Amino acid sequence: MFKDLLDIAILLTDGVKYTATLFVVTMIGSLPLGLLLTFMRTGKSRILRGITGFYVYIMRGTPLLLQLYFFYYGLPFIPGMRNVLVLDRFTAAMLAFVLNYAAYFCEIFRGGMISVDKGQYEAARVLGFSKGQTLGKIVLPQMLRVSLPSIANESITLVKDTALVTAIGVTEILYFAKATVNRQAVFTAYPVAAVFYLVMTFAITKLFDYLERRYSF
Amino acid sequence: MSILEVNSLKKSFGEVNVLDGVSFTVEKGDAIAVIGPSGSGKSTLLRCLIGLERADGGDIVINGKNLMQNGVYVNDRQMRDVCSCMGMVFQSFNLFPHMTVMDNLIAAPVSVRKEDKASAIARAEKLLADVELSDKANVYPSSLSGGQKQRVAIARALMMEPDILLFDEPTSSLDPQLTAEVLAVMKQLAEKRMTMIVVTHEMGFAREAANKVMFMGDKTILQMGSTEDIFERPSDPRIKEFIQSIL
Ligand SMILES: Nc1ncnc2c1ncn2[C@@H]1O[C@H](COP(=O)(O)OP(=O)(O)OP(=O)(O)O)[C@@H](O)[C@H]1O
Ligand SMILES: [Mg+2]
């Protein structure tokens, strides 16, 4: 029994590579992109504000699964892109995830930015800080700190969302679990896969707990 | 030469006229208490002086340098330069919550004036001792009382060695005991001949520490003069009424 479980776990380990890479790439890509979108969304230019508002609306208003299909199956249908925009499965997955999560992070950061009191900008100004210094030294640290719990929440959602890419055939954990169930007719692959996800969410929870304590003020 | 000259200052928020022809001068070493009813434009006046608000008309000359002439401001760069000789203390303290007390004090000297960190720390330690908060250098503002926060805010403003220090109701959100400790610090500054403009409801400060009182009402200065002038010989029935109402 125990040996069976271990065998399944070893099988699934092959998928961890993709799950973990997708998670890391999405975080590394979407956090800075989300921050950039926040600056555009809250900036002076009405055009940029409009564009980012629309972008966020599209990304949050449509299913991530649909976006995955779009980037994997849909792009080549764009006229003139037949041979140019053919992405391999995993690239399409990473692209869709980064673009999608950036929209969510944009809104989280925007919330954090709004929470910074206007008195902070005024204090910075009368002390002579430039606009850039005010943003970098006063506003950004506060807004990141305020955003931490929501980012933690979103990261855990991301761990689970990685399973969606099985739909376009990326061989991540769930893909192997399903294959194992189909092939060996043993249902236990699903609970084993669940444990994999739980381990990851546990680690992420702990990491963010630490960050929240480390940067409390 | 006066350290600050304001002439025919005008300011509206949309349709609402808030300052309509405010003129006064401040001499080096003056401690001016600005009093007057709520909504009379006291905060707006201070904010126009330090560039947090843009006035619509008039002249402002600080330390001999134009900030605004005939309703036209100097460019942003010059504005920064002219305003850099002023500091401001807010009712809501506005300390940086993510920085320790020490970092609050040295942030601007180090980033704005490019002062050497060690020398900024040395000056900060002295100022913290002056406001009796040496033991709080390494704590975050959230663990301070309101009175302590405001004393840190004063020390932070002093770190930039301003020629003029503006206060907008520095004690209005404090209970009486904490008010006293902040007023004590401000009195010391007045005794050291720091040039100060203090919007306050504390008549104690106006009477004891200020050498001049400016009374604002109806979008302008109703009377400005020595403390005795205002309290003993108010020139306007509105001033008499206000003084009676708060005593
Ligand atoms: N940003 C703003 N936009 C619109 N109106 C404003 C703004 N700031 C101030 N006002 C208006 O200007 C007038 C003067 O406000 P100000 O805050 O300068 O008064 P004050 O004398 O400081 O009053 P208080 O004693 O209550 O602090 C008020 O009628 C206020 O509503
Ligand atoms: Mg006010």
Side-chain angles (χ1 to χ4, degrees):
Chain A
M1 174 65 189
F2 178 74
K3 179 145 189 322
D4 289 348
L5 287 180
L6 199 65
D7 284 346
I8 294 170
I10 290 168
L11 263 175
L12 297 192
T13 315
D14 272 346
V16 170
K17 183 175 67 190
Y18 284 108
T19 301
T21 308
L22 182 58
F23 177 84
V24 171
V25 167
T26 304
M27 290 298 273
I28 290 176
S30 62
L31 281 169
L33 183 58
L35 196 58
L36 186 70
L37 289 171
T38 303
F39 293 146
M40 288 161 60
R41 182 113 177 76
T42 56
K44 280 220 174 75
S45 158
R46 264 183 61 182
I47 298 168
L48 284 182
R49 286 206 307 265
I51 292 174
T52 44
F54 185 69
Y55 175 84
V56 168
Y57 173 63
I58 297 290
M59 285 302 182
R60 296 200 310 169
T62 59
L64 177 53
L65 187 57
L66 185 154
Q67 293 164 24
L68 268 178
Y69 287 153
F70 177 82
F71 283 107
Y72 184 54
Y73 299 116
L75 286 186
F77 285 97
I78 297 174
M81 291 296 148
R82 176 151 291 275
N83 297 315
V84 190
L85 270 184
V86 185
L87 304 177
D88 73 70
R89 299 166 200 281
F90 195 53
T91 308
M94 290 189 294
L95 188 62
F97 269 62
V98 167
L99 294 179
N100 177 276
Y101 271 80
Y104 282 93
F105 286 133
C106 166
E107 285 304 282
I108 289 174
F109 289 137
R110 193 170 69 91
M113 195 154 192
I114 290 169
S115 80
V116 177
D117 189 75
K118 115 180 181 308
Q120 295 289 307
Y121 294 87
E122 298 189 342
R125 181 171 170 134
V126 300
L127 285 167
F129 286 100
S130 68
K131 286 218 169 82
Q133 288 173 327
T134 304
L135 192 62
K137 292 177 199 292
I138 312 297
V139 177
L140 211 51
Q142 294 184 51
M143 85 187 232
L144 291 181
R145 177 60 186 84
V146 170
S147 306
L148 257 187
S150 306
I151 294 175
N153 207 25
E154 210 56 48
S155 314
I156 288 172
T157 307
L158 172 58
V159 170
K160 295 174 293 178
D161 274 354
T162 56
L164 284 174
V165 300
T166 208
I168 57 168
V170 176
T171 53
E172 44 69 73
I173 295 173
L174 187 63
Y175 180 93
F176 281 111
K178 189 160 169 255
T180 309
V181 170
N182 288 347
R183 195 171 51 238
Q184 307 180 356
V186 279
F187 163 79
T188 34
Y190 287 138
V192 174
V195 171
F196 274 83
Y197 289 108
L198 286 171
V199 168
M200 283 187 278
T201 48
F202 180 79
I204 289 164
T205 307
K206 286 291 157 205
L207 172 69
F208 277 96
D209 280 354
Y210 167 76
L211 288 176
E212 281 184 38
R213 261 182 287 115
R214 168 76 180 71
Y215 293 103
S216 68
F217 47 74
Chain B
M1 186 184 69
S2 305
I3 196 164
L4 173 65
E5 292 172 44
V6 177
N7 193 17
S8 310
L9 192 69
K10 288 186 178 58
K11 170 72 185 167
S12 305
F13 290 106
E15 297 288 286
V16 188
N17 194 215
V18 179
L19 299 174
D20 193 7
V22 172
S23 306
F24 64 98
T25 56
V26 177
E27 306 304 326
K28 202 167 161 36
D30 272 350
I32 299 178
V34 181
I35 61 176
S38 181
S40 57
K42 305 180 298 291
S43 299
T44 306
L45 174 62
L46 288 198
R47 295 168 59 82
C48 284
L49 295 181
I50 202 160
L52 288 178
E53 217 69 77
R54 292 224 169 199
D56 308 318
D59 315 303
I60 303 176
V61 184
I62 298 162
N63 253 340
K65 295 184 210 162
N66 272 322
L67 179 62
M68 180 174 77
Q69 197 170 21
N70 249 323
V72 182
Y73 277 90
V74 295
N75 67 35
D76 266 1
R77 229 190 125 86
Q78 293 167 312
M79 199 163 163
R80 240 167 222 297
D81 175 49
V82 176
C83 290
S84 68
C85 71
M86 288 183 289
M88 183 155 179
V89 174
F90 302 87
Q91 177 177 350
S92 49
F93 324 123
N94 298 344
L95 295 178
F96 304 132
H98 59 298
M99 296 182 187
T100 62
V101 166
M102 177 55 79
D103 286 338
N104 264 276
L105 263 65
I106 66 171
V110 170
S111 322
V112 178
R113 296 204 328 195
K114 313 290 175 209
E115 181 176 354
D116 174 58
K117 194 168 172 187
S119 105
I121 289 176
R123 291 197 301 119
E125 279 168 350
K126 254 176 100 188
L127 280 170
L128 282 179
D130 287 348
V131 297
E132 291 173 39
L133 288 171
S134 295
D135 54 328
K136 300 290 186 189
N138 295 315
V139 307
Y140 285 93
S142 59
S143 69
L144 299 177
S145 74
Q148 291 171 333
K149 282 181 193 164
Q150 197 59 298
R151 285 183 281 152
V152 171
I154 293 172
R156 181 177 71 175
L158 290 172
M159 284 296 288
M160 296 303 276
E161 302 176 314
D163 297 327
I164 308 174
L165 200 45
L166 311 178
F167 294 78
D168 192 2
E169 304 201 24
T171 60
S172 290
S173 52
L174 305 178
D175 60 36
Q177 194 203 334
L178 301 181
T179 294
E181 62 187 48
V182 172
L183 285 180
V185 169
M186 291 167 58
K187 254 183 217 170
Q188 278 173 24
L189 283 177
E191 276 157 21
K192 286 186 202 154
R193 311 293 293 156
M194 177 83 207
T195 309
M196 305 156 69
I197 306 179
V198 184
V199 173
T200 183
H201 292 295
E202 284 300 322
M203 292 309 126
F205 177 83
R207 280 177 180 282
E208 291 158 39
N211 65 333
K212 287 180 191 164
V213 175
M214 177 193 296
F215 191 98
M216 294 204 54
D218 276 343
K219 305 164 199 164
T220 187
I221 299 174
L222 292 181
Q223 187 180 357
M224 181 161 167
S226 70
T227 313
E228 297 89 64
D229 278 348
I230 301 277
F231 285 102
E232 315 303 336
R233 295 177 288 281
S235 67
D236 190 294
R238 286 169 287 187
I239 304 177
K240 207 179 272 177
E241 194 186 325
F242 181 82
I243 289 170
Q244 274 161 1
S245 75
I246 52 172
L247 287 184

